[in-house]
Amino acid sequence: MIVMTIVWILLVGAVVWAALRVAQTSGRGDRDRETAEEILARRFAKGEIDAAAYDEARERLGRGQSR
């Protein structure tokens, strides 16, 4: 009888622990998200966009305009 109680407590504890781990992992996405400026700088550094496109996009981001 006491063994089953201990097993159930451990089982419930494991489920709660797993749920908390999943919640912590999914919450990191918002903190680690790149800003628009960081994405733009990364794309420019990788050569995906040229200097003219980079400058135009930075100007648009600075003014808060969208397409």
Side-chain angles (χ1 to χ4, degrees):
M1 185 72 155
I2 198 159
V3 173
M4 285 302 294
T5 303
I6 293 171
V7 168
W8 276 108
I9 290 172
L10 291 174
L11 181 63
V12 169
V15 168
V16 169
W17 176 80
L20 290 174
R21 293 285 295 188
V22 167
Q24 289 174 346
T25 302
S26 64
R28 289 184 189 152
D30 291 341
R31 289 185 295 235
D32 293 339
R33 270 178 66 177
E34 286 182 297
T35 64
E37 291 85 3
E38 291 169 338
I39 294 169
L40 183 62
R42 179 176 42 81
R43 290 188 64 204
F44 181 62
K46 289 171 82 177
E48 294 178 6
I49 57 174
D50 62 2
Y54 176 77
D55 291 337
E56 180 183 345
R58 284 207 50 192
E59 185 178 319
R60 284 179 180 246
L61 287 173
R63 290 190 309 225
Q65 292 182 348
S66 61
R67 270 192 161 169

Short mmCIF file of all heavy atoms in Angstrom, two decimals:
data_model
loop_
_atom_site.label_atom_id
_atom_site.label_comp_id
_atom_site.label_asym_id
_atom_site.label_seq_id
_atom_site.Cartn_x
_atom_site.Cartn_y
_atom_site.Cartn_z
N MET A 1 0.82 -1.19 0.00
CA MET A 1 0.00 0.00 0.00
C MET A 1 0.87 1.26 0.00
O MET A 1 0.63 2.17 -0.77
CB MET A 1 -0.92 -0.03 1.22
CG MET A 1 -1.89 1.10 1.26
SD MET A 1 -3.14 0.86 0.01
CE MET A 1 -4.43 1.78 0.68
N ILE A 2 1.85 1.31 0.87
CA ILE A 2 2.71 2.48 0.95
C ILE A 2 3.59 2.60 -0.29
O ILE A 2 3.93 3.69 -0.73
CB ILE A 2 3.55 2.47 2.25
CG1 ILE A 2 4.08 3.87 2.50
CG2 ILE A 2 4.68 1.50 2.18
CD1 ILE A 2 4.46 4.12 3.92
N VAL A 3 3.95 1.46 -0.88
CA VAL A 3 4.77 1.46 -2.09
C VAL A 3 4.00 2.10 -3.24
O VAL A 3 4.55 2.90 -4.00
CB VAL A 3 5.23 0.03 -2.44
CG1 VAL A 3 5.93 0.01 -3.77
CG2 VAL A 3 6.12 -0.54 -1.34
N MET A 4 2.74 1.79 -3.38
CA MET A 4 1.93 2.38 -4.45
C MET A 4 1.79 3.89 -4.26
O MET A 4 1.81 4.65 -5.23
CB MET A 4 0.53 1.73 -4.50
CG MET A 4 0.55 0.34 -5.10
SD MET A 4 1.21 0.31 -6.78
CE MET A 4 -0.03 1.23 -7.65
N THR A 5 1.67 4.33 -3.03
CA THR A 5 1.58 5.76 -2.76
C THR A 5 2.87 6.46 -3.18
O THR A 5 2.83 7.52 -3.82
CB THR A 5 1.32 6.01 -1.25
OG1 THR A 5 0.12 5.32 -0.86
CG2 THR A 5 1.19 7.49 -0.95
N ILE A 6 3.99 5.86 -2.86
CA ILE A 6 5.28 6.42 -3.25
C ILE A 6 5.43 6.45 -4.76
O ILE A 6 5.90 7.43 -5.34
CB ILE A 6 6.44 5.65 -2.58
CG1 ILE A 6 6.40 5.88 -1.06
CG2 ILE A 6 7.78 6.05 -3.16
CD1 ILE A 6 7.35 5.01 -0.28
N VAL A 7 4.99 5.39 -5.42
CA VAL A 7 5.06 5.32 -6.88
C VAL A 7 4.21 6.43 -7.49
O VAL A 7 4.64 7.12 -8.43
CB VAL A 7 4.63 3.93 -7.39
CG1 VAL A 7 4.41 3.95 -8.89
CG2 VAL A 7 5.64 2.88 -7.00
N TRP A 8 3.01 6.65 -6.99
CA TRP A 8 2.14 7.69 -7.53
C TRP A 8 2.73 9.08 -7.28
O TRP A 8 2.68 9.97 -8.15
CB TRP A 8 0.74 7.61 -6.93
CG TRP A 8 -0.11 6.62 -7.66
CD1 TRP A 8 -0.51 5.41 -7.22
CD2 TRP A 8 -0.64 6.77 -8.98
NE1 TRP A 8 -1.25 4.77 -8.18
CE2 TRP A 8 -1.35 5.58 -9.27
CE3 TRP A 8 -0.57 7.76 -9.94
CZ2 TRP A 8 -1.99 5.39 -10.49
CZ3 TRP A 8 -1.22 7.56 -11.16
CH2 TRP A 8 -1.90 6.39 -11.41
N ILE A 9 3.31 9.30 -6.13
CA ILE A 9 3.95 10.59 -5.84
C ILE A 9 5.11 10.84 -6.80
O ILE A 9 5.26 11.94 -7.35
CB ILE A 9 4.41 10.65 -4.37
CG1 ILE A 9 3.18 10.73 -3.46
CG2 ILE A 9 5.32 11.85 -4.14
CD1 ILE A 9 3.51 10.59 -1.98
N LEU A 10 5.92 9.82 -7.02
CA LEU A 10 7.03 9.95 -7.97
C LEU A 10 6.54 10.20 -9.39
O LEU A 10 7.10 11.00 -10.13
CB LEU A 10 7.92 8.71 -7.92
CG LEU A 10 8.73 8.53 -6.63
CD1 LEU A 10 9.47 7.18 -6.66
CD2 LEU A 10 9.71 9.67 -6.46
N LEU A 11 5.48 9.51 -9.77
CA LEU A 11 4.92 9.67 -11.11
C LEU A 11 4.38 11.09 -11.31
O LEU A 11 4.67 11.74 -12.32
CB LEU A 11 3.81 8.64 -11.36
CG LEU A 11 3.16 8.67 -12.74
CD1 LEU A 11 4.19 8.35 -13.81
CD2 LEU A 11 2.01 7.70 -12.79
N VAL A 12 3.62 11.57 -10.34
CA VAL A 12 3.08 12.93 -10.44
C VAL A 12 4.23 13.95 -10.44
O VAL A 12 4.22 14.91 -11.21
CB VAL A 12 2.08 13.20 -9.29
CG1 VAL A 12 1.72 14.69 -9.22
CG2 VAL A 12 0.84 12.36 -9.47
N GLY A 13 5.23 13.73 -9.60
CA GLY A 13 6.39 14.61 -9.57
C GLY A 13 7.12 14.65 -10.90
O GLY A 13 7.55 15.71 -11.36
N ALA A 14 7.27 13.49 -11.54
CA ALA A 14 7.94 13.42 -12.84
C ALA A 14 7.15 14.17 -13.91
O ALA A 14 7.73 14.87 -14.74
CB ALA A 14 8.14 11.96 -13.25
N VAL A 15 5.84 14.06 -13.88
CA VAL A 15 5.00 14.76 -14.86
C VAL A 15 5.10 16.28 -14.65
O VAL A 15 5.23 17.04 -15.61
CB VAL A 15 3.53 14.27 -14.78
CG1 VAL A 15 2.61 15.17 -15.57
CG2 VAL A 15 3.42 12.84 -15.25
N VAL A 16 5.05 16.72 -13.41
CA VAL A 16 5.16 18.15 -13.11
C VAL A 16 6.54 18.66 -13.54
O VAL A 16 6.65 19.72 -14.16
CB VAL A 16 4.91 18.42 -11.61
CG1 VAL A 16 5.28 19.85 -11.24
CG2 VAL A 16 3.46 18.13 -11.26
N TRP A 17 7.59 17.91 -13.23
CA TRP A 17 8.94 18.31 -13.61
C TRP A 17 9.05 18.43 -15.14
O TRP A 17 9.60 19.40 -15.65
CB TRP A 17 9.95 17.27 -13.09
CG TRP A 17 11.35 17.55 -13.52
CD1 TRP A 17 12.22 18.44 -12.98
CD2 TRP A 17 12.03 16.95 -14.62
NE1 TRP A 17 13.40 18.43 -13.67
CE2 TRP A 17 13.32 17.51 -14.68
CE3 TRP A 17 11.68 15.97 -15.56
CZ2 TRP A 17 14.24 17.14 -15.65
CZ3 TRP A 17 12.60 15.61 -16.51
CH2 TRP A 17 13.86 16.18 -16.55
N ALA A 18 8.52 17.45 -15.87
CA ALA A 18 8.59 17.47 -17.33
C ALA A 18 7.82 18.67 -17.89
O ALA A 18 8.28 19.33 -18.82
CB ALA A 18 8.06 16.17 -17.91
N ALA A 19 6.66 18.95 -17.32
CA ALA A 19 5.87 20.09 -17.79
C ALA A 19 6.61 21.40 -17.55
O ALA A 19 6.59 22.29 -18.41
CB ALA A 19 4.51 20.11 -17.09
N LEU A 20 7.26 21.53 -16.42
CA LEU A 20 8.02 22.75 -16.14
C LEU A 20 9.21 22.89 -17.08
O LEU A 20 9.52 23.99 -17.54
CB LEU A 20 8.50 22.75 -14.69
CG LEU A 20 7.40 22.95 -13.64
CD1 LEU A 20 7.97 22.77 -12.24
CD2 LEU A 20 6.75 24.30 -13.79
N ARG A 21 9.87 21.81 -17.40
CA ARG A 21 11.00 21.85 -18.33
C ARG A 21 10.54 22.29 -19.72
O ARG A 21 11.19 23.09 -20.37
CB ARG A 21 11.68 20.48 -18.42
CG ARG A 21 12.38 20.03 -17.17
CD ARG A 21 13.65 20.76 -16.97
NE ARG A 21 14.56 20.39 -18.04
CZ ARG A 21 15.82 20.73 -18.09
NH1 ARG A 21 16.34 21.43 -17.12
NH2 ARG A 21 16.57 20.38 -19.10
N VAL A 22 9.42 21.76 -20.17
CA VAL A 22 8.90 22.14 -21.48
C VAL A 22 8.51 23.61 -21.48
O VAL A 22 8.79 24.34 -22.44
CB VAL A 22 7.70 21.24 -21.87
CG1 VAL A 22 6.96 21.81 -23.07
CG2 VAL A 22 8.17 19.83 -22.14
N ALA A 23 7.90 24.08 -20.41
CA ALA A 23 7.48 25.48 -20.33
C ALA A 23 8.70 26.40 -20.33
O ALA A 23 8.68 27.46 -20.96
CB ALA A 23 6.64 25.71 -19.08
N GLN A 24 9.77 26.04 -19.65
CA GLN A 24 10.97 26.85 -19.63
C GLN A 24 11.63 26.89 -20.99
O GLN A 24 12.10 27.93 -21.43
CB GLN A 24 11.97 26.31 -18.60
CG GLN A 24 11.54 26.53 -17.18
CD GLN A 24 12.47 25.86 -16.19
OE1 GLN A 24 13.29 25.02 -16.57
NE2 GLN A 24 12.34 26.20 -14.93
N THR A 25 11.67 25.77 -21.68
CA THR A 25 12.30 25.70 -22.99
C THR A 25 11.53 26.53 -24.00
O THR A 25 12.12 27.26 -24.80
CB THR A 25 12.38 24.24 -23.47
OG1 THR A 25 13.11 23.49 -22.51
CG2 THR A 25 13.06 24.14 -24.81
N SER A 26 10.21 26.47 -23.98
CA SER A 26 9.43 27.22 -24.97
C SER A 26 9.47 28.71 -24.68
O SER A 26 9.32 29.51 -25.58
CB SER A 26 7.99 26.72 -25.00
OG SER A 26 7.35 26.96 -23.76
N GLY A 27 9.70 29.10 -23.46
CA GLY A 27 9.78 30.52 -23.11
C GLY A 27 11.04 31.19 -23.59
O GLY A 27 11.12 32.40 -23.69
N ARG A 28 12.07 30.45 -23.88
CA ARG A 28 13.34 31.02 -24.31
C ARG A 28 13.26 31.62 -25.70
O ARG A 28 14.04 32.49 -26.03
CB ARG A 28 14.43 29.95 -24.31
CG ARG A 28 14.82 29.54 -22.93
CD ARG A 28 15.96 28.57 -22.97
NE ARG A 28 16.17 28.03 -21.64
CZ ARG A 28 16.66 26.86 -21.40
NH1 ARG A 28 17.01 26.07 -22.37
NH2 ARG A 28 16.82 26.45 -20.17
N GLY A 29 12.33 31.16 -26.52
CA GLY A 29 12.24 31.66 -27.88
C GLY A 29 12.05 33.15 -27.96
O GLY A 29 12.62 33.81 -28.82
N ASP A 30 11.27 33.73 -27.06
CA ASP A 30 11.04 35.17 -27.10
C ASP A 30 12.28 35.95 -26.71
O ASP A 30 12.54 37.00 -27.26
CB ASP A 30 9.90 35.54 -26.15
CG ASP A 30 8.57 35.03 -26.65
OD1 ASP A 30 8.49 34.72 -27.85
OD2 ASP A 30 7.63 34.92 -25.85
N ARG A 31 13.05 35.46 -25.77
CA ARG A 31 14.24 36.18 -25.34
C ARG A 31 15.35 36.07 -26.37
O ARG A 31 16.16 36.98 -26.48
CB ARG A 31 14.73 35.62 -24.01
CG ARG A 31 13.81 35.98 -22.86
CD ARG A 31 14.41 35.51 -21.58
NE ARG A 31 14.48 34.06 -21.59
CZ ARG A 31 13.97 33.27 -20.68
NH1 ARG A 31 13.36 33.80 -19.65
NH2 ARG A 31 14.08 31.97 -20.75
N ASP A 32 15.41 34.98 -27.10
CA ASP A 32 16.50 34.77 -28.05
C ASP A 32 16.16 35.22 -29.46
O ASP A 32 16.97 35.07 -30.36
CB ASP A 32 16.89 33.29 -28.07
CG ASP A 32 17.52 32.85 -26.76
OD1 ASP A 32 18.00 33.72 -26.01
OD2 ASP A 32 17.51 31.65 -26.50
N ARG A 33 14.98 35.77 -29.65
CA ARG A 33 14.59 36.21 -31.00
C ARG A 33 15.46 37.35 -31.46
O ARG A 33 15.75 38.28 -30.71
CB ARG A 33 13.13 36.65 -31.00
CG ARG A 33 12.19 35.53 -31.30
CD ARG A 33 10.77 35.95 -31.24
NE ARG A 33 10.42 36.91 -32.28
CZ ARG A 33 9.20 37.37 -32.45
NH1 ARG A 33 8.25 37.00 -31.64
NH2 ARG A 33 8.94 38.22 -33.39
N GLU A 34 15.85 37.29 -32.72
CA GLU A 34 16.65 38.36 -33.30
C GLU A 34 15.76 39.55 -33.62
O GLU A 34 14.62 39.39 -34.05
CB GLU A 34 17.29 37.89 -34.61
CG GLU A 34 18.44 36.93 -34.45
CD GLU A 34 19.02 36.57 -35.79
OE1 GLU A 34 18.30 35.97 -36.60
OE2 GLU A 34 20.19 36.89 -36.02
N THR A 35 16.30 40.72 -33.46
CA THR A 35 15.59 41.92 -33.88
C THR A 35 15.73 42.05 -35.40
O THR A 35 16.56 41.39 -36.02
CB THR A 35 16.17 43.17 -33.20
OG1 THR A 35 17.51 43.35 -33.65
CG2 THR A 35 16.12 43.06 -31.69
N ALA A 36 14.93 42.93 -35.97
CA ALA A 36 15.00 43.15 -37.42
C ALA A 36 16.38 43.66 -37.83
O ALA A 36 16.93 43.25 -38.86
CB ALA A 36 13.92 44.14 -37.83
N GLU A 37 16.96 44.51 -36.98
CA GLU A 37 18.29 45.03 -37.28
C GLU A 37 19.34 43.93 -37.25
O GLU A 37 20.26 43.92 -38.08
CB GLU A 37 18.67 46.13 -36.29
CG GLU A 37 17.86 47.40 -36.44
CD GLU A 37 16.53 47.37 -35.69
OE1 GLU A 37 16.25 46.36 -35.00
OE2 GLU A 37 15.77 48.33 -35.82
N GLU A 38 19.22 43.01 -36.30
CA GLU A 38 20.18 41.90 -36.21
C GLU A 38 20.06 40.97 -37.41
O GLU A 38 21.08 40.52 -37.95
CB GLU A 38 19.97 41.12 -34.92
CG GLU A 38 20.35 41.89 -33.67
CD GLU A 38 19.91 41.22 -32.39
OE1 GLU A 38 18.97 40.40 -32.41
OE2 GLU A 38 20.51 41.51 -31.36
N ILE A 39 18.85 40.70 -37.84
CA ILE A 39 18.64 39.85 -39.02
C ILE A 39 19.24 40.53 -40.25
O ILE A 39 19.92 39.89 -41.06
CB ILE A 39 17.14 39.55 -39.24
CG1 ILE A 39 16.61 38.70 -38.08
CG2 ILE A 39 16.91 38.88 -40.58
CD1 ILE A 39 15.10 38.57 -38.06
N LEU A 40 18.97 41.82 -40.38
CA LEU A 40 19.49 42.58 -41.51
C LEU A 40 21.02 42.56 -41.53
O LEU A 40 21.65 42.29 -42.56
CB LEU A 40 18.98 44.01 -41.46
CG LEU A 40 19.36 44.93 -42.60
CD1 LEU A 40 18.81 44.40 -43.92
CD2 LEU A 40 18.84 46.33 -42.32
N ALA A 41 21.64 42.79 -40.38
CA ALA A 41 23.10 42.79 -40.29
C ALA A 41 23.67 41.41 -40.62
O ALA A 41 24.69 41.29 -41.30
CB ALA A 41 23.54 43.24 -38.90
N ARG A 42 23.02 40.36 -40.14
CA ARG A 42 23.48 39.00 -40.42
C ARG A 42 23.39 38.69 -41.91
O ARG A 42 24.32 38.15 -42.51
CB ARG A 42 22.66 37.98 -39.62
CG ARG A 42 23.06 36.54 -39.88
CD ARG A 42 22.31 35.54 -39.01
NE ARG A 42 20.90 35.79 -38.85
CZ ARG A 42 19.96 35.45 -39.74
NH1 ARG A 42 20.29 34.87 -40.87
NH2 ARG A 42 18.68 35.69 -39.50
N ARG A 43 22.28 39.08 -42.53
CA ARG A 43 22.12 38.83 -43.97
C ARG A 43 23.15 39.61 -44.79
O ARG A 43 23.68 39.10 -45.77
CB ARG A 43 20.71 39.19 -44.42
CG ARG A 43 19.66 38.23 -43.87
CD ARG A 43 18.30 38.48 -44.45
NE ARG A 43 18.34 38.21 -45.87
CZ ARG A 43 17.49 38.74 -46.74
NH1 ARG A 43 16.54 39.55 -46.34
NH2 ARG A 43 17.59 38.45 -48.02
N PHE A 44 23.45 40.83 -44.37
CA PHE A 44 24.47 41.63 -45.06
C PHE A 44 25.84 40.99 -44.88
O PHE A 44 26.61 40.88 -45.84
CB PHE A 44 24.45 43.06 -44.52
CG PHE A 44 25.46 43.96 -45.18
CD1 PHE A 44 25.40 44.23 -46.53
CD2 PHE A 44 26.47 44.55 -44.43
CE1 PHE A 44 26.33 45.07 -47.14
CE2 PHE A 44 27.40 45.38 -45.01
CZ PHE A 44 27.33 45.64 -46.38
N ALA A 45 26.15 40.56 -43.69
CA ALA A 45 27.45 39.93 -43.42
C ALA A 45 27.63 38.63 -44.21
O ALA A 45 28.73 38.31 -44.64
CB ALA A 45 27.60 39.66 -41.93
N LYS A 46 26.54 37.90 -44.42
CA LYS A 46 26.63 36.65 -45.17
C LYS A 46 26.64 36.88 -46.68
O LYS A 46 26.85 35.95 -47.45
CB LYS A 46 25.44 35.74 -44.82
CG LYS A 46 25.52 35.17 -43.41
CD LYS A 46 24.23 34.47 -43.02
CE LYS A 46 24.20 33.08 -43.57
NZ LYS A 46 22.99 32.34 -43.14
N GLY A 47 26.41 38.12 -47.11
CA GLY A 47 26.42 38.42 -48.53
C GLY A 47 25.09 38.14 -49.21
O GLY A 47 25.02 38.13 -50.44
N GLU A 48 24.04 37.96 -48.44
CA GLU A 48 22.72 37.70 -49.03
C GLU A 48 22.12 38.96 -49.64
O GLU A 48 21.30 38.87 -50.56
CB GLU A 48 21.77 37.14 -47.97
CG GLU A 48 22.16 35.77 -47.45
CD GLU A 48 21.22 35.27 -46.37
OE1 GLU A 48 20.20 35.92 -46.09
OE2 GLU A 48 21.52 34.20 -45.80
N ILE A 49 22.50 40.12 -49.12
CA ILE A 49 22.03 41.39 -49.67
C ILE A 49 23.24 42.30 -49.89
O ILE A 49 24.25 42.16 -49.22
CB ILE A 49 20.99 42.08 -48.75
CG1 ILE A 49 21.58 42.31 -47.35
CG2 ILE A 49 19.71 41.27 -48.67
CD1 ILE A 49 20.67 43.10 -46.43
N ASP A 50 23.10 43.22 -50.84
CA ASP A 50 24.22 44.13 -51.12
C ASP A 50 24.10 45.39 -50.26
O ASP A 50 23.14 45.56 -49.50
CB ASP A 50 24.26 44.48 -52.60
CG ASP A 50 23.02 45.21 -53.09
OD1 ASP A 50 22.13 45.49 -52.28
OD2 ASP A 50 22.96 45.49 -54.30
N ALA A 51 25.10 46.26 -50.38
CA ALA A 51 25.16 47.46 -49.53
C ALA A 51 23.97 48.38 -49.77
O ALA A 51 23.44 48.97 -48.82
CB ALA A 51 26.47 48.20 -49.78
N ALA A 52 23.53 48.49 -51.01
CA ALA A 52 22.39 49.37 -51.30
C ALA A 52 21.12 48.87 -50.63
O ALA A 52 20.37 49.65 -50.03
CB ALA A 52 22.19 49.48 -52.81
N ALA A 53 20.88 47.58 -50.73
CA ALA A 53 19.69 47.00 -50.08
C ALA A 53 19.79 47.11 -48.57
O ALA A 53 18.80 47.38 -47.89
CB ALA A 53 19.53 45.54 -50.50
N TYR A 54 20.99 46.93 -48.04
CA TYR A 54 21.22 47.05 -46.60
C TYR A 54 20.91 48.47 -46.12
O TYR A 54 20.18 48.67 -45.15
CB TYR A 54 22.65 46.67 -46.26
CG TYR A 54 23.02 46.85 -44.81
CD1 TYR A 54 22.60 45.94 -43.85
CD2 TYR A 54 23.81 47.92 -44.40
CE1 TYR A 54 22.95 46.09 -42.51
CE2 TYR A 54 24.16 48.09 -43.07
CZ TYR A 54 23.72 47.18 -42.13
OH TYR A 54 24.06 47.33 -40.82
N ASP A 55 21.46 49.46 -46.83
CA ASP A 55 21.24 50.86 -46.44
C ASP A 55 19.77 51.24 -46.54
O ASP A 55 19.22 51.92 -45.65
CB ASP A 55 22.08 51.79 -47.31
CG ASP A 55 23.57 51.66 -47.03
OD1 ASP A 55 23.93 51.21 -45.92
OD2 ASP A 55 24.37 51.99 -47.93
N GLU A 56 19.11 50.80 -47.60
CA GLU A 56 17.68 51.11 -47.77
C GLU A 56 16.86 50.49 -46.65
O GLU A 56 15.97 51.14 -46.08
CB GLU A 56 17.18 50.61 -49.12
CG GLU A 56 15.72 50.90 -49.35
CD GLU A 56 15.21 50.35 -50.67
OE1 GLU A 56 16.02 49.98 -51.54
OE2 GLU A 56 13.97 50.27 -50.80
N ALA A 57 17.15 49.24 -46.33
CA ALA A 57 16.40 48.57 -45.28
C ALA A 57 16.65 49.22 -43.91
O ALA A 57 15.72 49.38 -43.12
CB ALA A 57 16.77 47.09 -45.23
N ARG A 58 17.88 49.60 -43.64
CA ARG A 58 18.17 50.28 -42.36
C ARG A 58 17.42 51.59 -42.27
O ARG A 58 16.92 51.96 -41.21
CB ARG A 58 19.67 50.52 -42.22
CG ARG A 58 20.40 49.25 -41.87
CD ARG A 58 21.65 49.46 -41.14
NE ARG A 58 21.45 50.34 -40.01
CZ ARG A 58 22.44 50.87 -39.32
NH1 ARG A 58 23.68 50.61 -39.66
NH2 ARG A 58 22.21 51.65 -38.30
N GLU A 59 17.37 52.29 -43.39
CA GLU A 59 16.64 53.56 -43.39
C GLU A 59 15.16 53.33 -43.12
O GLU A 59 14.53 54.03 -42.32
CB GLU A 59 16.83 54.26 -44.73
CG GLU A 59 16.21 55.64 -44.79
CD GLU A 59 16.47 56.31 -46.13
OE1 GLU A 59 17.60 56.19 -46.64
OE2 GLU A 59 15.54 56.96 -46.63
N ARG A 60 14.59 52.34 -43.78
CA ARG A 60 13.17 52.01 -43.56
C ARG A 60 12.91 51.59 -42.12
O ARG A 60 11.90 51.98 -41.53
CB ARG A 60 12.71 50.91 -44.50
CG ARG A 60 12.49 51.35 -45.91
CD ARG A 60 12.07 50.17 -46.75
NE ARG A 60 11.85 50.58 -48.10
CZ ARG A 60 10.67 50.56 -48.70
NH1 ARG A 60 9.62 50.14 -48.05
NH2 ARG A 60 10.55 50.97 -49.93
N LEU A 61 13.79 50.79 -41.57
CA LEU A 61 13.61 50.36 -40.18
C LEU A 61 13.71 51.54 -39.23
O LEU A 61 12.97 51.62 -38.25
CB LEU A 61 14.65 49.30 -39.81
CG LEU A 61 14.46 47.92 -40.41
CD1 LEU A 61 15.66 47.02 -40.10
CD2 LEU A 61 13.18 47.28 -39.88
N GLY A 62 14.60 52.45 -39.53
CA GLY A 62 14.76 53.64 -38.69
C GLY A 62 13.55 54.55 -38.70
O GLY A 62 13.21 55.17 -37.70
N ARG A 63 12.87 54.60 -39.83
CA ARG A 63 11.68 55.44 -39.95
C ARG A 63 10.44 54.72 -39.48
O ARG A 63 9.37 55.32 -39.36
CB ARG A 63 11.48 55.89 -41.39
CG ARG A 63 12.51 56.88 -41.86
CD ARG A 63 12.14 57.47 -43.18
NE ARG A 63 11.80 56.45 -44.16
CZ ARG A 63 12.21 56.42 -45.41
NH1 ARG A 63 12.99 57.38 -45.83
NH2 ARG A 63 11.85 55.46 -46.22
N GLY A 64 10.53 53.41 -39.30
CA GLY A 64 9.36 52.65 -38.87
C GLY A 64 8.37 52.38 -39.98
O GLY A 64 7.20 52.11 -39.74
N GLN A 65 8.83 52.47 -41.23
CA GLN A 65 7.95 52.21 -42.36
C GLN A 65 7.96 50.74 -42.71
O GLN A 65 8.93 50.04 -42.48
CB GLN A 65 8.39 52.99 -43.58
CG GLN A 65 8.22 54.48 -43.45
CD GLN A 65 8.64 55.20 -44.71
OE1 GLN A 65 9.26 54.61 -45.59
NE2 GLN A 65 8.30 56.46 -44.80
N SER A 66 6.86 50.30 -43.29
CA SER A 66 6.81 48.94 -43.81
C SER A 66 6.34 48.98 -45.25
O SER A 66 5.78 49.96 -45.71
CB SER A 66 5.87 48.08 -42.97
OG SER A 66 4.56 48.61 -43.03
N ARG A 67 6.57 47.88 -45.95
CA ARG A 67 6.18 47.83 -47.35
C ARG A 67 4.71 47.79 -47.52
O ARG A 67 3.88 47.28 -47.02
CB ARG A 67 6.76 46.59 -47.99
CG ARG A 67 8.10 46.90 -48.55
CD ARG A 67 8.52 45.76 -49.41
NE ARG A 67 9.56 46.29 -50.26
CZ ARG A 67 10.33 45.57 -51.01
NH1 ARG A 67 10.19 44.28 -51.05
NH2 ARG A 67 11.25 46.12 -51.73
#
